[in-house]
Amino acid sequence: MNGTVRIGILGGGGILGAHAAGFQPLADGCRVVAVAEPDAARHARIRELLGPDVELAGDYPEVLDRDDVDAVDILLPHDLHLPATVAAAAAGKPVLVEKVMARNIYECDRMIEACQAAGVSLTVCHDRRYNGDWIALKEIVDSGVLGEILHWRLLHTQNVAPVASGRGKHWIADYDRLGGGAIMSCLTHQIDALRWYEGPVAAVTCMHKTVPERMEGESVGAVLAQMESGAMAELSISWITRSNTAASGLWYELNHVTGTRGEAYYSAGKGTFLLTYDAPAVDLPVGFESQASPVGMAFRQVVSDGVPGHVGCIREWVNHLRGRPADIRTSGLEARGTVEVAEAAYRSVETGRTVPLPIDPIPWRSS
Ligand SMILES: NC(=O)c1ccc[n+]([C@@H]2O[C@H](COP(=O)([O-])OP(=O)(O)OC[C@H]3O[C@@H](n4cnc5c(N)ncnc54)[C@H](O)[C@@H]3O)[C@@H](O)[C@H]2O)c1
């Protein structure tokens, strides 16, 4: 595409703020011309975020029908990611779709097929892969300074209690609209990062807990993953804790990796830190070597450029649309692999067994 790329956004809810911040610095090369958002109560905020000239529409096909829209950014509830992507492809418009790509790999495959058939690109906004501090952790791991990677812990904590409105049940509380619960919706951030950091997942075991007064899908989940590399990983999500927002509280997201020669972690709001075991040797009391870090060993911060993930992702997507060099890390095919791990975790809950990957695609239960 030459000149200014004209973007249509489908869905103008909560995550629009992060996307608007991504498009705003790119005003020389792209312009958001229209947003589809049926909830009129959200229109004033959309204009605040994108300017008074942005055209507002209701249902998303209205934006796909516009000739002045070159590409679309899909910020819809998860059950609409498949139909909106298929319709965008049929309209000849390249797609950026928010995570999670779709509710299962069967839907991912339909999205990939539709975009391939139409000759348009499909990119998934897994923003963490473009976030400066998450990239810093990737660079530490890839440098080899940690030695052989043995263990990952990736944790996500929030308080998510969806409230029904005059329009009925919140889509996040609806199993069929969300595609399950917290694991598919948000632990997929951690699953995606684990695959990016450590490579393919070989098998998963999962347990989860549903709190029916909150939502139909699970609010708490824990996944154990055996990696093809030989490392093991623990991933967990809690949507029932306020620990990350309370004073002196705990993390929102924490990625911790341990290798044979050191450890590193990312903690949201704090940054990325590295500890190597090659610190100055000190004399320890006999028998305590395995229990304490030698005096003088300390995590040190690895400072990143601090670019927020959505800003980095949208910058690369717009570069790609403009035919410029672009570092797209999250194609539809790549993001499908993340949905597959989450779907395998659900099959582990259903069967009570460890589920090896790959798994077979099956249609969504209500389709
Ligand atoms: N990357 C992140 O950290 C992050 C954080 C939050 C949400 N998300 C993702 O963003 C996406 C949207 O989530 P959200 O939190 O903004 O949800 P939201 O409910 O705030 O927004 C969704 C919007 O879509 C609109 N919509 C529904 N049906 C529509 C239709 N037919 N046509 C046009 N618009 C329609 C709704 O009215 C609503 O305003 C999801 O994929 C979610 O997982 C990502």
Side-chain angles (χ1 to χ4, degrees):
M1 279 171 216
N2 295 317
T4 301
V5 182
R6 299 163 301 177
I7 308 292
I9 297 183
L10 314 185
I15 202 61
L16 179 67
H19 283 245
F23 288 114
Q24 195 265 334
L26 308 176
D28 287 349
C30 79
R31 190 160 56 89
V32 178
V33 295
V35 177
E37 174 49 64
D39 185 353
R42 295 191 145 173
H43 288 182
R45 173 174 174 263
I46 295 171
R47 288 219 155 93
E48 262 170 44
L49 289 169
L50 295 168
D53 297 333
V54 69
E55 298 277 348
L56 295 173
D59 202 9
Y60 70 81
E62 295 172 35
V63 166
L64 296 178
D65 285 344
R66 294 178 67 110
D67 292 334
D68 64 350
V69 167
D70 300 313
V72 294
D73 183 14
I74 298 176
L75 313 182
L76 294 167
H78 301 158
D79 60 318
L80 296 179
H81 288 190
L82 166 63
T85 298
V86 169
K93 310 206 194 278
V95 171
L96 177 67
V97 58
E98 252 296 338
K99 69 80 212 120
V100 54
M101 182 175 172
R103 299 178 298 179
N104 61 21
I105 54 171
Y106 180 90
E107 295 190 341
C108 295
D109 288 342
R110 303 290 82 74
M111 292 162 71
I112 292 166
E113 275 168 17
C115 290
Q116 279 176 349
V120 298
S121 60
L122 173 57
T123 307
V124 180
C125 186
H126 266 297
D127 57 284
R128 272 56 167 180
R129 290 204 196 196
Y130 303 88
N131 175 302
D133 286 334
W134 292 60
I135 292 169
L137 187 59
K138 168 89 172 144
E139 287 173 351
I140 291 169
V141 172
D142 288 353
S143 75
V145 69
L146 301 181
E148 182 193 352
I149 302 301
L150 303 173
H151 180 218
W152 282 93
R153 283 191 301 163
L154 297 106
L155 314 175
H156 188 126
T157 54
Q158 265 180 295
N159 180 30
V160 177
V163 177
S165 69
R167 302 195 306 163
K169 184 163 53 176
H170 195 291
W171 69 270
I172 291 177
D174 183 331
Y175 187 96
D176 287 315
R177 300 212 69 194
L178 192 66
I183 292 171
M184 184 60 83
S185 186
C186 267
L187 193 62
T188 38
H189 283 302
Q190 281 60 45
I191 293 170
D192 190 65
L194 176 67
R195 296 178 54 250
W196 178 47
Y197 290 142
E198 187 61 29
V201 173
V204 294
T205 310
C206 178
M207 289 186 192
H208 67 44
K209 175 169 179 58
T210 301
V211 184
E213 59 273 27
R214 286 191 163 224
M215 49 190 277
E216 292 170 2
E218 76 284 352
S219 290
V220 179
V223 177
L224 290 178
Q226 179 65 58
M227 307 303 293
E228 280 188 15
S229 67
M232 78 156 283
E234 301 166 53
L235 307 95
S236 75
I237 186 158
S238 168
W239 268 5
I240 58 166
T241 173
R242 298 163 206 210
S243 61
N244 62 310
T245 51
S248 308
L250 304 175
W251 56 83
Y252 160 48
E253 288 176 298
L254 180 75
N255 304 337
H256 174 216
V257 54
T258 304
T260 49
R261 293 175 52 210
E263 301 176 33
Y265 72 90
Y266 158 82
S267 183
K270 288 175 69 181
T272 302
F273 298 83
L274 169 65
L275 170 70
T276 52
Y277 301 155
D278 308 327
V282 291
D283 292 332
L284 287 174
V286 173
F288 281 79
E289 286 88 346
S290 62
Q291 295 183 19
S293 293
V295 175
M297 280 178 78
F299 277 96
R300 55 183 191 274
Q301 186 161 12
V302 179
V303 178
S304 83
D305 61 15
V307 171
H310 286 95
V311 170
C313 180
I314 288 168
R315 181 189 62 214
E316 296 309 316
W317 184 56
V318 170
N319 279 339
H320 154 70
L321 293 175
R322 299 180 75 200
R324 298 184 168 196
D327 186 2
I328 299 288
R329 302 174 186 158
T330 49
S331 66
L333 199 56
E334 180 60 28
R336 177 196 190 276
T338 291
V339 174
E340 183 176 30
V341 175
E343 192 176 352
Y346 286 144
R347 292 191 195 176
S348 167
V349 173
E350 283 160 21
T351 59
R353 295 178 183 276
T354 296
V355 174
L357 275 74
I359 57 172
D360 292 330
I362 47 175
W364 185 256
R365 62 181 193 168
S366 62
S367 311

